[in-house]
Coordinates of all heavy atoms in Angstrom, one line a residue:
M1 N 14.4 1.2 -11.6 CA 14.3 0.4 -10.3 C 12.9 0.2 -10.0 O 12.0 1.1 -10.0 CB 15.0 1.2 -9.2 CG 14.7 0.6 -7.9 SD 15.3 1.6 -6.5 CE 16.8 0.8 -6.1
T2 N 12.5 -1.0 -9.7 CA 11.2 -1.3 -9.2 C 11.0 -1.1 -7.8 O 11.9 -1.4 -7.0 CB 10.9 -2.8 -9.6 OG1 11.1 -3.0 -11.0 CG2 9.5 -3.2 -9.2
S3 N 9.9 -0.7 -7.3 CA 9.6 -0.4 -5.9 C 8.2 -0.9 -5.6 O 7.4 -1.0 -6.4 CB 9.8 1.0 -5.5 OG 8.8 1.8 -6.1
I4 N 8.0 -1.1 -4.3 CA 6.7 -1.4 -3.8 C 6.2 -0.3 -2.9 O 7.0 0.1 -2.0 CB 6.7 -2.7 -2.9 CG1 7.2 -3.9 -3.8 CG2 5.3 -3.0 -2.4 CD1 7.4 -5.2 -3.0
Q5 N 5.1 0.3 -3.1 CA 4.5 1.3 -2.3 C 3.3 0.8 -1.6 O 2.5 0.1 -2.2 CB 4.2 2.5 -3.2 CG 5.3 3.1 -3.9 CD 6.4 3.7 -3.0 OE1 6.0 4.4 -2.0 NE2 7.6 3.4 -3.2
F6 N 3.1 1.2 -0.4 CA 2.0 0.7 0.4 C 1.1 1.9 0.8 O 1.6 3.0 1.1 CB 2.4 0.0 1.7 CG 3.3 -1.2 1.4 CD1 4.7 -1.1 1.6 CD2 2.8 -2.4 1.0 CE1 5.5 -2.1 1.3 CE2 3.6 -3.4 0.7 CZ 5.0 -3.3 0.9
V7 N -0.2 1.8 0.7 CA -1.1 2.8 1.1 C -2.1 2.2 2.1 O -2.4 1.0 2.0 CB -1.8 3.5 -0.1 CG1 -0.9 4.1 -1.0 CG2 -2.7 2.5 -0.9
V8 N -2.7 3.1 2.9 CA -3.7 2.6 3.8 C -5.0 3.3 3.3 O -5.1 4.5 3.1 CB -3.5 3.1 5.3 CG1 -4.6 2.8 6.2 CG2 -2.2 2.5 5.8
H9 N -6.0 2.5 3.1 CA -7.3 2.9 2.5 C -8.4 2.4 3.4 O -8.5 1.2 3.7 CB -7.4 2.4 1.1 CG -8.7 2.8 0.4 ND1 -9.0 4.1 0.1 CD2 -9.7 2.0 -0.1 CE1 -10.2 4.1 -0.5 NE2 -10.7 2.9 -0.6
P10 N -9.3 3.3 3.8 CA -10.4 2.9 4.8 C -11.4 2.1 4.1 O -11.7 2.2 2.9 CB -10.9 4.3 5.2 CG -10.7 5.2 4.1 CD -9.3 4.8 3.5
L11 N -12.0 1.2 4.8 CA -13.1 0.4 4.3 C -14.3 0.7 5.2 O -14.2 0.6 6.4 CB -12.8 -1.1 4.3 CG -11.7 -1.5 3.4 CD1 -11.4 -3.0 3.5 CD2 -12.1 -1.3 1.9
P12 N -15.5 1.0 4.7 CA -15.7 1.1 3.2 C -15.1 2.4 2.7 O -15.0 3.4 3.5 CB -17.2 1.2 3.1 CG -17.7 1.7 4.4 CD -16.7 1.2 5.5
G13 N -14.7 2.4 1.5 CA -14.1 3.6 0.9 C -14.5 3.6 -0.6 O -15.0 2.7 -1.1
T14 N -14.4 4.8 -1.2 CA -14.8 4.9 -2.6 C -13.6 4.8 -3.5 O -12.4 5.0 -3.1 CB -15.5 6.3 -2.8 OG1 -14.5 7.3 -2.6 CG2 -16.6 6.5 -1.8
Q15 N -13.9 4.7 -4.8 CA -12.8 4.6 -5.8 C -12.1 6.0 -5.9 O -10.9 6.1 -6.1 CB -13.4 4.3 -7.1 CG -13.9 2.8 -7.2 CD -14.4 2.5 -8.6 OE1 -14.6 3.3 -9.4 NE2 -14.8 1.2 -8.8
E16 N -12.9 7.0 -5.6 CA -12.3 8.4 -5.7 C -11.3 8.6 -4.5 O -10.3 9.2 -4.7 CB -13.4 9.5 -5.6 CG -14.3 9.6 -6.8 CD -15.4 8.5 -6.9 OE1 -15.7 7.8 -5.9 OE2 -16.0 8.3 -8.0
Q17 N -11.6 8.0 -3.3 CA -10.7 8.1 -2.2 C -9.4 7.4 -2.5 O -8.3 7.9 -2.2 CB -11.4 7.6 -0.9 CG -12.5 8.5 -0.4 CD -13.2 7.8 0.8 OE1 -13.5 6.6 0.7 NE2 -13.5 8.6 1.8
L18 N -9.6 6.2 -3.1 CA -8.4 5.4 -3.4 C -7.5 6.1 -4.5 O -6.3 6.2 -4.3 CB -8.8 4.0 -3.9 CG -7.6 3.1 -4.3 CD1 -6.6 2.9 -3.1 CD2 -8.1 1.8 -4.8
A19 N -8.2 6.7 -5.5 CA -7.4 7.4 -6.5 C -6.7 8.6 -5.9 O -5.6 8.9 -6.3 CB -8.4 7.8 -7.6
E20 N -7.4 9.3 -5.0 CA -6.7 10.5 -4.3 C -5.5 10.0 -3.5 O -4.5 10.7 -3.5 CB -7.7 11.1 -3.4 CG -7.2 12.4 -2.7 CD -8.3 13.0 -1.9 OE1 -9.4 13.1 -2.3 OE2 -7.9 13.5 -0.7
K21 N -5.6 8.9 -2.8 CA -4.5 8.4 -2.0 C -3.3 8.0 -3.0 O -2.2 8.3 -2.7 CB -5.0 7.2 -1.2 CG -3.9 6.6 -0.4 CD -3.2 7.5 0.6 CE -3.9 7.5 1.9 NZ -3.2 8.2 2.9
L22 N -3.6 7.3 -4.1 CA -2.6 6.9 -5.0 C -1.9 8.1 -5.6 O -0.7 8.1 -5.8 CB -3.2 6.0 -6.1 CG -3.6 4.6 -5.6 CD1 -4.3 3.8 -6.7 CD2 -2.5 3.8 -5.0
K23 N -2.7 9.2 -5.9 CA -2.1 10.4 -6.5 C -1.2 11.0 -5.4 O -0.1 11.5 -5.8 CB -3.2 11.4 -6.9 CG -2.7 12.6 -7.5 CD -3.8 13.6 -7.9 CE -3.3 14.8 -8.6 NZ -2.1 15.4 -8.0
S24 N -1.6 11.0 -4.2 CA -0.8 11.6 -3.1 C 0.6 10.8 -3.0 O 1.6 11.4 -2.8 CB -1.6 11.5 -1.8 OG -0.7 11.4 -0.7
V25 N 0.5 9.5 -3.1 CA 1.8 8.7 -3.1 C 2.6 9.1 -4.3 O 3.9 9.3 -4.1 CB 1.5 7.2 -3.1 CG1 2.7 6.4 -3.3 CG2 0.8 6.8 -1.7
A26 N 2.0 9.2 -5.5 CA 2.8 9.5 -6.7 C 3.4 10.9 -6.6 O 4.6 11.1 -6.9 CB 1.9 9.4 -7.9
D27 N 2.7 11.9 -6.0 CA 3.2 13.2 -5.9 C 4.4 13.2 -4.9 O 5.3 13.9 -5.1 CB 2.1 14.2 -5.3 CG 1.0 14.4 -6.4 OD1 1.3 14.2 -7.6 OD2 -0.1 14.9 -6.0
R28 N 4.2 12.5 -3.8 CA 5.3 12.4 -2.8 C 6.6 11.7 -3.4 O 7.7 12.2 -3.2 CB 4.8 11.6 -1.6 CG 5.8 11.6 -0.4 CD 5.3 11.0 0.8 NE 4.7 9.7 0.6 CZ 3.5 9.4 0.9 NH1 2.7 10.2 1.5 NH2 3.0 8.2 0.7
L29 N 6.4 10.7 -4.2 CA 7.5 10.1 -4.9 C 8.2 11.1 -5.9 O 9.4 11.1 -5.9 CB 7.1 8.8 -5.7 CG 6.9 7.6 -4.8 CD1 6.2 6.5 -5.7 CD2 8.1 7.1 -4.2
N30 N 7.4 11.8 -6.6 CA 7.9 12.8 -7.5 C 8.7 13.9 -6.8 O 9.7 14.4 -7.3 CB 6.8 13.3 -8.4 CG 6.3 12.3 -9.4 OD1 7.0 11.4 -9.8 ND2 5.1 12.5 -9.8
K31 N 8.2 14.3 -5.7 CA 8.8 15.4 -4.9 C 10.0 15.0 -4.2 O 11.0 15.7 -4.2 CB 7.7 16.0 -4.0 CG 8.2 17.3 -3.3 CD 7.1 17.9 -2.5 CE 7.6 19.2 -1.8 NZ 6.5 19.8 -1.0
Y32 N 10.0 13.9 -3.4 CA 11.0 13.5 -2.5 C 11.9 12.3 -3.0 O 12.9 12.0 -2.4 CB 10.5 13.1 -1.2 CG 9.7 14.3 -0.5 CD1 8.4 14.2 -0.3 CD2 10.4 15.4 -0.1 CE1 7.7 15.2 0.3 CE2 9.7 16.4 0.5 CZ 8.4 16.3 0.7 OH 7.7 17.4 1.3
G33 N 11.4 11.7 -4.1 CA 12.2 10.5 -4.6 C 11.8 9.3 -3.8 O 11.0 9.3 -2.9
L34 N 12.5 8.2 -4.2 CA 12.2 6.9 -3.6 C 12.9 6.8 -2.3 O 14.1 7.0 -2.2 CB 12.7 5.8 -4.6 CG 12.3 4.4 -4.2 CD1 10.8 4.2 -4.1 CD2 12.9 3.4 -5.2
Q35 N 12.2 6.5 -1.2 CA 12.7 6.2 0.1 C 12.4 4.8 0.5 O 11.3 4.6 1.1 CB 12.2 7.2 1.1 CG 12.5 8.7 0.7 CD 11.7 9.7 1.6 OE1 10.8 9.3 2.3 NE2 12.1 10.9 1.5
G36 N 13.2 3.9 0.1 CA 12.9 2.5 0.3 C 13.2 1.9 1.7 O 14.1 2.5 2.4
S37 N 12.6 0.9 2.0 CA 12.8 0.1 3.3 C 14.1 -0.8 3.0 O 14.2 -1.3 2.0 CB 11.6 -0.7 3.6 OG 12.0 -1.7 4.5
S38 N 14.9 -0.9 4.0 CA 16.1 -1.7 3.9 C 15.7 -3.2 3.6 O 16.4 -3.9 2.9 CB 17.0 -1.6 5.1 OG 16.3 -2.0 6.2
A39 N 14.6 -3.7 4.2 CA 14.2 -5.0 4.0 C 13.8 -5.2 2.5 O 14.1 -6.3 1.9 CB 13.0 -5.4 4.9
L40 N 13.1 -4.3 1.9 CA 12.6 -4.4 0.6 C 13.7 -4.1 -0.5 O 13.7 -4.6 -1.6 CB 11.4 -3.5 0.3 CG 10.2 -3.9 1.1 CD1 9.1 -2.9 0.9 CD2 9.7 -5.3 0.8
S41 N 14.7 -3.2 -0.1 CA 15.7 -2.9 -1.1 C 16.7 -4.0 -1.4 O 17.4 -4.0 -2.4 CB 16.5 -1.7 -0.5 OG 17.2 -2.0 0.6
S42 N 16.7 -5.0 -0.5 CA 17.6 -6.1 -0.7 C 17.0 -7.2 -1.7 O 17.7 -8.1 -2.1 CB 18.0 -6.8 0.6 OG 16.9 -7.3 1.2
I43 N 15.8 -7.1 -2.0 CA 15.1 -8.0 -2.9 C 15.6 -7.8 -4.4 O 15.5 -6.7 -4.9 CB 13.6 -7.9 -2.9 CG1 13.1 -8.2 -1.5 CG2 12.9 -8.7 -4.0 CD1 11.6 -8.0 -1.3
R44 N 16.2 -8.8 -4.9 CA 16.8 -8.8 -6.3 C 16.0 -9.7 -7.2 O 16.2 -9.6 -8.4 CB 18.2 -9.1 -6.3 CG 19.1 -8.2 -5.4 CD 19.3 -6.9 -6.0 NE 20.1 -6.1 -5.2 CZ 19.8 -4.9 -4.7 NH1 18.6 -4.4 -5.0 NH2 20.6 -4.2 -4.0
E45 N 15.2 -10.5 -6.7 CA 14.5 -11.5 -7.6 C 13.1 -10.9 -8.0 O 12.6 -10.0 -7.4 CB 14.2 -12.8 -6.8 CG 15.4 -13.5 -6.3 CD 16.4 -13.9 -7.4 OE1 15.8 -14.4 -8.4 OE2 17.6 -13.8 -7.2
E46 N 12.6 -11.5 -9.1 CA 11.3 -11.0 -9.5 C 10.2 -11.6 -8.6 O 10.1 -12.8 -8.3 CB 11.0 -11.5 -11.0 CG 9.8 -10.9 -11.6 CD 9.7 -11.2 -13.1 OE1 10.8 -11.3 -13.7 OE2 8.6 -11.3 -13.6
V47 N 9.3 -10.7 -8.2 CA 8.2 -11.2 -7.3 C 7.0 -11.6 -8.2 O 6.6 -10.9 -9.1 CB 7.7 -10.0 -6.4 CG1 6.5 -10.4 -5.5 CG2 8.9 -9.6 -5.5
K48 N 6.5 -12.8 -7.9 CA 5.4 -13.4 -8.7 C 4.0 -13.0 -8.1 O 3.1 -12.7 -8.8 CB 5.5 -14.9 -8.8 CG 4.5 -15.6 -9.6 CD 4.8 -17.1 -9.7 CE 3.8 -17.8 -10.6 NZ 4.2 -19.2 -10.7
Q49 N 4.0 -13.0 -6.8 CA 2.7 -12.7 -6.1 C 3.0 -12.2 -4.7 O 4.0 -12.5 -4.1 CB 1.9 -14.0 -6.0 CG 0.5 -13.9 -5.5 CD -0.3 -15.2 -5.6 OE1 0.3 -16.3 -5.9 NE2 -1.5 -15.2 -5.3
I50 N 2.0 -11.3 -4.3 CA 2.1 -10.7 -2.9 C 0.8 -11.0 -2.2 O -0.3 -10.9 -2.8 CB 2.4 -9.2 -3.0 CG1 3.7 -8.9 -3.6 CG2 2.3 -8.6 -1.5 CD1 4.0 -7.4 -3.8
A51 N 0.9 -11.4 -1.0 CA -0.3 -11.6 -0.1 C -0.1 -10.8 1.1 O 1.0 -10.6 1.7 CB -0.5 -13.1 0.2
V52 N -1.2 -10.2 1.6 CA -1.2 -9.3 2.8 C -2.1 -9.9 3.8 O -3.2 -10.2 3.6 CB -1.7 -7.9 2.4 CG1 -1.6 -7.0 3.6 CG2 -0.9 -7.3 1.3
G53 N -1.5 -10.0 5.0 CA -2.2 -10.5 6.2 C -2.3 -9.4 7.2 O -1.9 -8.2 6.9
P54 N -2.8 -9.6 8.4 CA -3.0 -8.6 9.4 C -1.7 -8.0 9.9 O -1.7 -6.9 10.3 CB -3.8 -9.3 10.5 CG -3.7 -10.7 10.2 CD -3.3 -10.9 8.8
S55 N -0.6 -8.7 9.8 CA 0.6 -8.2 10.3 C 1.8 -8.5 9.5 O 3.0 -8.2 9.9 CB 0.8 -8.7 11.8 OG 0.9 -10.1 11.8
H56 N 1.7 -9.2 8.4 CA 2.8 -9.6 7.5 C 2.4 -9.5 6.0 O 1.3 -9.6 5.7 CB 3.2 -11.0 7.8 CG 3.9 -11.2 9.1 ND1 3.2 -11.4 10.3 CD2 5.2 -11.3 9.4 CE1 4.1 -11.5 11.2 NE2 5.3 -11.5 10.7
F57 N 3.5 -9.2 5.2 CA 3.4 -9.4 3.8 C 4.1 -10.6 3.4 O 5.1 -10.9 4.0 CB 4.1 -8.2 3.1 CG 3.5 -6.9 3.3 CD1 4.1 -6.0 4.2 CD2 2.4 -6.5 2.6 CE1 3.5 -4.8 4.4 CE2 1.8 -5.2 2.8 CZ 2.4 -4.4 3.7
A58 N 3.5 -11.4 2.5 CA 4.2 -12.6 2.0 C 4.5 -12.4 0.6 O 3.6 -12.0 -0.2 CB 3.3 -13.9 2.2
L59 N 5.7 -12.7 0.2 CA 6.2 -12.5 -1.2 C 6.5 -13.9 -1.8 O 7.3 -14.6 -1.1 CB 7.4 -11.6 -1.3 CG 7.3 -10.2 -0.6 CD1 8.6 -9.6 -0.6 CD2 6.3 -9.4 -1.4
L60 N 6.0 -14.2 -2.9 CA 6.3 -15.4 -3.6 C 7.2 -15.0 -4.8 O 6.7 -14.2 -5.6 CB 5.1 -16.2 -4.1 CG 5.3 -17.4 -5.0 CD1 6.1 -18.5 -4.3 CD2 4.0 -17.9 -5.5
F61 N 8.4 -15.6 -4.9 CA 9.3 -15.2 -6.0 C 9.1 -16.2 -7.1 O 8.6 -17.3 -7.0 CB 10.7 -15.2 -5.4 CG 11.0 -14.2 -4.4 CD1 11.0 -14.6 -3.0 CD2 11.1 -12.9 -4.7 CE1 11.2 -13.6 -2.0 CE2 11.4 -11.9 -3.7 CZ 11.4 -12.3 -2.4
E62 N 9.6 -15.8 -8.3 CA 9.5 -16.6 -9.5 C 10.2 -18.0 -9.3 O 9.7 -18.9 -9.9 CB 10.1 -15.9 -10.7 CG 9.3 -14.7 -11.2 CD 8.0 -15.2 -11.9 OE1 7.9 -16.3 -12.4 OE2 7.0 -14.4 -11.9
D63 N 11.2 -18.0 -8.5 CA 11.9 -19.3 -8.4 C 11.3 -20.2 -7.3 O 11.8 -21.2 -6.9 CB 13.4 -19.1 -8.0 CG 13.6 -18.3 -6.7 OD1 12.7 -18.0 -6.0 OD2 14.8 -18.0 -6.4
G64 N 10.1 -19.8 -6.7 CA 9.4 -20.6 -5.8 C 9.7 -20.3 -4.3 O 9.0 -20.8 -3.4
R65 N 10.7 -19.4 -4.0 CA 11.0 -19.1 -2.7 C 10.0 -18.1 -2.1 O 9.3 -17.4 -2.8 CB 12.4 -18.5 -2.5 CG 13.5 -19.5 -2.8 CD 14.9 -18.8 -2.7 NE 15.0 -17.7 -3.6 CZ 15.6 -16.6 -3.3 NH1 16.2 -16.4 -2.2 NH2 15.7 -15.6 -4.2
L66 N 9.8 -18.1 -0.8 CA 8.9 -17.3 -0.1 C 9.6 -16.4 0.9 O 10.7 -16.7 1.4 CB 7.9 -18.1 0.7 CG 6.9 -18.9 0.0 CD1 6.1 -19.8 0.9 CD2 5.9 -18.0 -0.7
A67 N 9.1 -15.2 1.1 CA 9.6 -14.3 2.1 C 8.4 -13.7 2.9 O 7.3 -13.5 2.3 CB 10.4 -13.1 1.5
R68 N 8.6 -13.5 4.2 CA 7.5 -12.9 5.0 C 8.1 -11.7 5.7 O 9.1 -11.8 6.4 CB 7.0 -14.0 6.0 CG 5.8 -13.6 6.7 CD 5.3 -14.7 7.6 NE 5.9 -14.6 8.9 CZ 5.4 -15.0 10.0 NH1 4.2 -15.5 10.0 NH2 6.1 -14.9 11.1
L69 N 7.4 -10.6 5.5 CA 7.9 -9.3 6.1 C 6.9 -8.8 7.1 O 5.7 -8.6 6.7 CB 8.2 -8.3 5.0 CG 9.2 -8.7 4.0 CD1 9.2 -7.7 2.8 CD2 10.6 -8.7 4.6
P70 N 7.2 -8.5 8.3 CA 6.2 -8.0 9.3 C 6.0 -6.5 9.0 O 6.8 -5.8 8.4 CB 6.9 -8.2 10.6 CG 8.4 -8.1 10.3 CD 8.5 -8.7 8.9
F71 N 4.8 -6.0 9.3 CA 4.5 -4.6 9.3 C 3.5 -4.3 10.4 O 2.9 -5.1 11.0 CB 3.9 -4.2 7.9 CG 2.5 -4.6 7.7 CD1 1.4 -3.8 8.0 CD2 2.2 -5.9 7.2 CE1 0.1 -4.2 7.8 CE2 0.9 -6.3 7.0 CZ -0.2 -5.4 7.3
S72 N 3.4 -3.0 10.7 CA 2.4 -2.5 11.6 C 1.9 -1.2 11.1 O 2.7 -0.4 10.5 CB 2.9 -2.4 13.0 OG 4.0 -1.5 13.1
V73 N 0.7 -0.8 11.4 CA 0.1 0.4 11.0 C 0.0 1.2 12.3 O -0.6 0.8 13.3 CB -1.3 0.3 10.4 CG1 -1.9 1.7 10.2 CG2 -1.2 -0.5 9.1
I74 N 0.6 2.4 12.4 CA 0.6 3.2 13.5 C -0.6 4.2 13.4 O -0.5 5.2 12.6 CB 1.9 4.0 13.7 CG1 3.1 3.0 13.8 CG2 1.9 4.9 14.9 CD1 4.5 3.6 13.7
S75 N -1.7 3.9 14.0 CA -2.9 4.6 13.8 C -2.8 6.1 14.2 O -3.5 6.9 13.6 CB -4.0 4.0 14.6 OG -3.8 4.0 16.0
D76 N -1.9 6.5 15.1 CA -1.7 7.9 15.4 C -1.2 8.7 14.2 O -1.4 9.9 14.2 CB -0.7 8.1 16.6 CG -1.3 7.5 17.8 OD1 -2.5 7.2 17.9 OD2 -0.5 7.3 18.8
R77 N -0.6 8.1 13.3 CA 0.0 8.8 12.1 C -0.9 8.8 10.9 O -0.6 9.4 9.9 CB 1.3 8.1 11.7 CG 2.4 8.2 12.7 CD 3.7 7.7 12.1 NE 4.7 7.7 13.2 CZ 5.9 7.2 13.0 NH1 6.2 6.7 11.8 NH2 6.8 7.3 13.9
L78 N -2.1 8.2 11.0 CA -3.0 8.2 9.9 C -3.9 9.4 10.0 O -4.3 9.9 11.0 CB -4.0 7.0 10.0 CG -3.3 5.6 9.9 CD1 -4.4 4.5 10.0 CD2 -2.6 5.5 8.5
D79 N -4.1 10.0 8.8 CA -5.0 11.2 8.7 C -6.3 10.7 8.2 O -6.6 10.5 7.0 CB -4.4 12.2 7.7 CG -5.3 13.4 7.5 OD1 -6.3 13.6 8.3 OD2 -5.0 14.2 6.7
L80 N -7.2 10.5 9.2 CA -8.5 9.9 8.9 C -9.5 11.0 8.6 O -10.7 10.7 8.4 CB -9.0 9.0 10.0 CG -8.1 7.8 10.3 CD1 -8.6 7.0 11.5 CD2 -7.9 6.9 9.1
S81 N -9.1 12.3 8.7 CA -10.1 13.4 8.5 C -10.5 13.5 7.1 O -11.5 14.1 6.8 CB -9.4 14.7 8.9 OG -8.3 15.0 8.1
K82 N -9.9 12.9 6.1 CA -10.3 13.0 4.7 C -11.4 12.1 4.4 O -12.0 12.1 3.3 CB -9.1 12.7 3.8 CG -8.0 13.7 3.9 CD -6.9 13.4 2.9 CE -5.8 14.4 3.0 NZ -4.7 14.2 2.1
N83 N -11.8 11.2 5.3 CA -12.9 10.3 5.1 C -14.2 11.0 5.4 O -14.9 10.9 6.4 CB -12.8 9.1 6.0 CG -13.7 8.0 5.6 OD1 -14.4 8.1 4.6 ND2 -13.8 6.9 6.4
S84 N -14.6 11.9 4.4 CA -15.8 12.8 4.6 C -17.0 12.1 4.1 O -17.0 11.0 3.5 CB -15.6 14.1 4.0 OG -15.5 13.9 2.6
N85 N -18.1 12.8 4.1 CA -19.4 12.3 3.6 C -19.6 12.5 2.1 O -20.7 12.3 1.6 CB -20.6 13.0 4.4 CG -20.6 12.5 5.8 OD1 -20.2 11.4 6.1 ND2 -21.2 13.4 6.7
K86 N -18.5 12.8 1.4 CA -18.6 13.0 -0.1 C -19.1 11.7 -0.7 O -19.7 11.7 -1.7 CB -17.2 13.4 -0.6 CG -16.8 14.8 -0.3 CD -15.6 15.2 -1.1 CE -14.4 14.4 -0.8 NZ -13.2 14.8 -1.4
S87 N -18.8 10.5 -0.1 CA -19.1 9.3 -0.7 C -20.6 9.0 -0.8 O -21.0 8.2 -1.6 CB -18.4 8.1 0.1 OG -19.0 8.1 1.4
S88 N -21.4 9.8 -0.1 CA -22.9 9.5 -0.1 C -23.4 10.0 -1.5 O -24.5 9.6 -1.8 CB -23.6 10.3 1.0 OG -23.4 11.7 0.9
T89 N -22.7 10.8 -2.3 CA -23.2 11.3 -3.5 C -22.6 10.5 -4.7 O -22.9 10.8 -5.8 CB -23.0 12.8 -3.7 OG1 -21.6 13.0 -3.6 CG2 -23.7 13.6 -2.6
T90 N -21.7 9.6 -4.4 CA -21.0 8.9 -5.5 C -21.7 7.7 -5.9 O -22.5 7.2 -5.2 CB -19.5 8.6 -5.1 OG1 -19.6 7.7 -4.0 CG2 -18.7 9.8 -4.8
K91 N -21.4 7.2 -7.1 CA -22.0 6.0 -7.6 C -21.4 4.8 -6.8 O -20.3 4.9 -6.3 CB -21.7 5.8 -9.1 CG -22.3 6.8 -9.9 CD -22.0 6.7 -11.4 CE -22.6 7.8 -12.2 NZ -22.1 7.7 -13.5
G92 N -22.1 3.8 -6.6 CA -21.7 2.6 -5.9 C -20.5 2.0 -6.5 O -20.2 2.0 -7.7
G93 N -19.6 1.4 -5.6 CA -18.5 0.7 -6.1 C -18.5 -0.7 -5.8 O -19.6 -1.3 -5.4
G94 N -17.4 -1.3 -5.8 CA -17.3 -2.7 -5.4 C -17.5 -2.9 -3.9 O -17.9 -2.0 -3.2
G95 N -17.2 -3.9 -3.4 CA -17.2 -4.1 -2.0 C -17.3 -5.6 -1.8 O -17.7 -6.3 -2.7
G96 N -16.9 -6.0 -0.7 CA -17.0 -7.4 -0.5 C -17.4 -7.7 0.9 O -16.7 -7.3 1.8
G97 N -18.5 -8.2 1.1 CA -18.9 -8.6 2.4 C -18.2 -10.0 2.6 O -17.8 -10.6 1.7
G98 N -17.9 -10.3 3.8 CA -17.2 -11.5 4.0 C -17.8 -12.2 5.2 O -18.3 -11.5 6.1
G99 N -17.5 -13.4 5.3 CA -17.9 -14.0 6.5 C -18.3 -15.4 6.4 O -18.3 -16.1 5.5

């Protein structure tokens, strides 16, 4: 079964922080199994592309149809304490300024 997992990663952040977050998600999946959202579990078509906006995910399916799913991040549930100063000793990563 294919699934979509979402993670919250602080910006700026390091590659090591992202890898740690992805490992945490994988460990949770291995321990507790797949706990899917009812909105996502009904998707039976192959997803060609996903775009993320400030409050919605947009899914483009292989047959050309679109779906838009709302989401929100509950900041009280985020553990931001792991964003330590370890990044000051790491090699530079990507980044994208925008504007």
Side-chain angles (χ1 to χ4, degrees):
M1 169 191 259
T2 302
S3 67
I4 299 173
Q5 299 296 315
F6 303 101
V7 297
V8 176
H9 180 63
L11 292 177
T14 65
Q15 290 179 354
E16 290 81 12
Q17 289 172 321
L18 180 58
E20 182 179 320
K21 179 59 92 170
L22 293 174
K23 182 180 181 322
S24 156
V25 169
D27 290 345
R28 187 173 49 238
L29 282 172
N30 289 334
K31 185 174 183 179
Y32 300 111
L34 186 61
Q35 300 170 346
S37 164
S38 60
L40 296 176
S41 66
S42 63
I43 296 174
R44 301 284 182 240
E45 302 297 322
E46 189 170 330
V47 176
K48 183 176 182 178
Q49 188 174 5
I50 298 175
V52 180
S55 62
H56 287 81
F57 295 102
L59 306 171
L60 174 63
F61 297 101
E62 285 291 334
D63 63 4
R65 291 182 301 144
L66 291 171
R68 190 175 85 151
L69 301 168
F71 75 92
S72 60
V73 175
I74 302 170
S75 59
D76 295 345
R77 295 185 184 177
L78 296 177
D79 181 8
L80 301 176
S81 63
K82 292 183 181 179
N83 192 8
S84 65
N85 290 333
K86 290 191 294 185
S87 63
S88 62
T89 60
T90 61
K91 297 178 182 174

